[in-house]
Coordinates of all heavy atoms in Angstrom, one line a residue:
E83 N -117.9 -48.9 -12.4 CA -119.3 -49.5 -12.2 C -119.8 -49.9 -13.6 O -120.4 -50.9 -13.8 CB -120.2 -48.6 -11.5 CG -121.5 -49.3 -11.0 CD -121.3 -50.5 -10.2 OE1 -120.3 -50.6 -9.4 OE2 -122.2 -51.4 -10.2
K84 N -119.6 -49.0 -14.6 CA -120.0 -49.3 -16.0 C -119.4 -50.6 -16.5 O -120.0 -51.5 -17.1 CB -119.6 -48.2 -17.0 CG -120.5 -47.0 -16.9 CD -120.0 -46.0 -18.0 CE -120.8 -44.8 -18.0 NZ -120.5 -43.8 -19.0
T85 N -118.0 -50.7 -16.2 CA -117.3 -51.9 -16.6 C -117.8 -53.2 -16.0 O -118.1 -54.2 -16.6 CB -115.8 -51.8 -16.3 OG1 -115.3 -50.5 -17.0 CG2 -115.0 -52.9 -16.8
L86 N -118.0 -53.1 -14.7 CA -118.6 -54.2 -13.9 C -120.0 -54.6 -14.3 O -120.3 -55.8 -14.6 CB -118.5 -53.9 -12.4 CG -117.1 -53.8 -11.8 CD1 -117.2 -53.5 -10.3 CD2 -116.3 -55.0 -12.0
R87 N -120.8 -53.6 -14.4 CA -122.2 -53.9 -14.9 C -122.3 -54.5 -16.3 O -123.1 -55.4 -16.5 CB -123.1 -52.6 -14.8 CG -123.5 -52.2 -13.4 CD -124.3 -50.9 -13.5 NE -124.9 -50.5 -12.3 CZ -126.1 -50.8 -11.9 NH1 -126.9 -51.5 -12.7 NH2 -126.6 -50.4 -10.8
G88 N -121.5 -53.9 -17.2 CA -121.5 -54.4 -18.5 C -121.0 -55.9 -18.6 O -121.6 -56.7 -19.3
M89 N -120.0 -56.2 -17.9 CA -119.5 -57.6 -17.9 C -120.5 -58.5 -17.2 O -120.7 -59.7 -17.7 CB -118.2 -57.7 -17.2 CG -117.0 -57.2 -18.0 SD -116.7 -58.2 -19.5 CE -115.3 -57.4 -20.1
V90 N -121.1 -58.1 -16.1 CA -122.1 -58.9 -15.4 C -123.3 -59.2 -16.4 O -123.8 -60.3 -16.5 CB -122.5 -58.3 -14.1 CG1 -123.8 -59.1 -13.5 CG2 -121.4 -58.4 -13.0
A91 N -123.7 -58.1 -17.0 CA -124.8 -58.2 -18.0 C -124.4 -59.2 -19.1 O -125.2 -60.0 -19.5 CB -125.2 -56.9 -18.6
Y92 N -123.2 -59.1 -19.6 CA -122.7 -60.0 -20.7 C -122.8 -61.5 -20.2 O -123.4 -62.3 -20.9 CB -121.3 -59.6 -21.1 CG -120.7 -60.5 -22.1 CD1 -120.9 -60.3 -23.5 CD2 -120.0 -61.6 -21.8 CE1 -120.4 -61.2 -24.5 CE2 -119.5 -62.5 -22.7 CZ -119.7 -62.2 -24.1 OH -119.2 -63.1 -25.0
F93 N -122.2 -61.7 -19.1 CA -122.1 -63.1 -18.6 C -123.5 -63.7 -18.2 O -123.8 -64.8 -18.3 CB -121.0 -63.3 -17.5 CG -119.7 -63.3 -18.1 CD1 -118.9 -62.1 -18.0 CD2 -119.2 -64.4 -18.8 CE1 -117.6 -62.1 -18.6 CE2 -117.9 -64.3 -19.4 CZ -117.1 -63.2 -19.3
T94 N -124.4 -62.7 -17.7 CA -125.7 -63.2 -17.4 C -126.4 -63.6 -18.7 O -127.1 -64.6 -18.8 CB -126.5 -62.0 -16.7 OG1 -125.8 -61.7 -15.5 CG2 -127.9 -62.4 -16.5
W95 N -126.2 -62.8 -19.8 CA -126.9 -63.1 -21.1 C -126.3 -64.5 -21.6 O -127.1 -65.3 -22.0 CB -126.6 -62.0 -22.1 CG -127.3 -62.2 -23.4 CD1 -128.5 -61.8 -23.8 CD2 -126.8 -63.0 -24.5 NE1 -128.8 -62.2 -25.0 CE2 -127.7 -62.9 -25.5 CE3 -125.6 -63.7 -24.8 CZ2 -127.6 -63.5 -26.8 CZ3 -125.4 -64.3 -26.0 CH2 -126.4 -64.2 -27.0
V96 N -125.0 -64.7 -21.5 CA -124.4 -65.9 -21.9 C -125.0 -67.1 -21.1 O -125.4 -68.1 -21.7 CB -122.9 -65.9 -21.8 CG1 -122.3 -67.3 -22.0 CG2 -122.3 -64.9 -22.8
S97 N -125.1 -66.9 -19.8 CA -125.6 -68.1 -19.0 C -127.1 -68.4 -19.3 O -127.5 -69.5 -19.2 CB -125.4 -67.8 -17.5 OG -126.4 -66.8 -17.0
Q98 N -127.8 -67.4 -19.7 CA -129.3 -67.6 -20.0 C -129.5 -67.9 -21.4 O -130.6 -68.3 -21.8 CB -130.1 -66.3 -19.6 CG -130.1 -66.0 -18.1 CD -130.6 -64.6 -17.8 OE1 -130.9 -63.8 -18.7 NE2 -130.9 -64.4 -16.5
N99 N -128.5 -67.7 -22.3 CA -128.7 -67.9 -23.7 C -127.5 -68.7 -24.3 O -126.9 -68.3 -25.3 CB -128.7 -66.5 -24.4 CG -129.9 -65.7 -23.9 OD1 -131.1 -65.9 -24.4 ND2 -129.7 -64.8 -23.0
R100 N -127.2 -69.8 -23.7 CA -126.1 -70.7 -24.2 C -126.2 -71.0 -25.7 O -125.2 -71.0 -26.4 CB -125.9 -71.9 -23.3 CG -125.4 -71.6 -22.0 CD -125.3 -72.9 -21.1 NE -124.8 -72.5 -19.8 CZ -123.6 -73.0 -19.3 NH1 -122.9 -73.8 -20.0 NH2 -123.2 -72.6 -18.1
N101 N -127.4 -71.4 -26.1 CA -127.6 -71.7 -27.6 C -127.3 -70.5 -28.4 O -126.7 -70.6 -29.5 CB -129.0 -72.2 -27.8 CG -129.2 -73.6 -27.3 OD1 -128.3 -74.4 -27.1 ND2 -130.5 -74.0 -27.1
A102 N -127.8 -69.3 -28.0 CA -127.6 -68.1 -28.8 C -126.1 -67.8 -28.8 O -125.6 -67.4 -29.9 CB -128.4 -66.9 -28.1
F103 N -125.4 -67.9 -27.7 CA -123.9 -67.7 -27.7 C -123.3 -68.6 -28.7 O -122.4 -68.2 -29.5 CB -123.3 -67.9 -26.3 CG -121.8 -67.7 -26.3 CD1 -121.3 -66.4 -26.2 CD2 -121.0 -68.7 -26.5 CE1 -120.0 -66.2 -26.3 CE2 -119.6 -68.6 -26.5 CZ -119.1 -67.3 -26.4
S104 N -123.6 -69.9 -28.7 CA -123.0 -70.9 -29.6 C -123.3 -70.5 -31.0 O -122.5 -70.7 -31.9 CB -123.6 -72.3 -29.3 OG -123.1 -72.7 -28.0
L105 N -124.5 -70.1 -31.3 CA -124.9 -69.7 -32.6 C -124.0 -68.6 -33.1 O -123.5 -68.6 -34.3 CB -126.4 -69.2 -32.7 CG -126.9 -68.8 -34.1 CD1 -127.3 -70.1 -34.8 CD2 -128.0 -67.8 -34.0
I106 N -123.8 -67.6 -32.3 CA -122.9 -66.4 -32.8 C -121.5 -66.8 -32.9 O -120.8 -66.5 -33.9 CB -123.0 -65.2 -31.8 CG1 -124.4 -64.7 -31.7 CG2 -122.1 -64.1 -32.2 CD1 -124.6 -63.6 -30.7
F107 N -120.9 -67.5 -31.9 CA -119.5 -67.6 -31.8 C -118.9 -68.9 -32.1 O -117.7 -69.0 -32.1 CB -119.1 -67.2 -30.3 CG -119.3 -65.7 -30.0 CD1 -120.3 -65.3 -29.2 CD2 -118.6 -64.7 -30.7 CE1 -120.5 -64.0 -28.9 CE2 -118.8 -63.4 -30.4 CZ -119.8 -63.0 -29.5

Side-chain angles (χ1 to χ4, degrees):
E83 192 59 27
K84 281 183 181 184
T85 303
L86 294 177
R87 281 179 173 266
M89 285 294 185
V90 168
Y92 176 88
F93 286 102
T94 298
W95 185 91
V96 170
S97 75
Q98 294 171 350
N99 298 279
R100 287 177 180 244
N101 284 340
F103 178 84
S104 294
L105 183 84
I106 297 174
F107 294 109

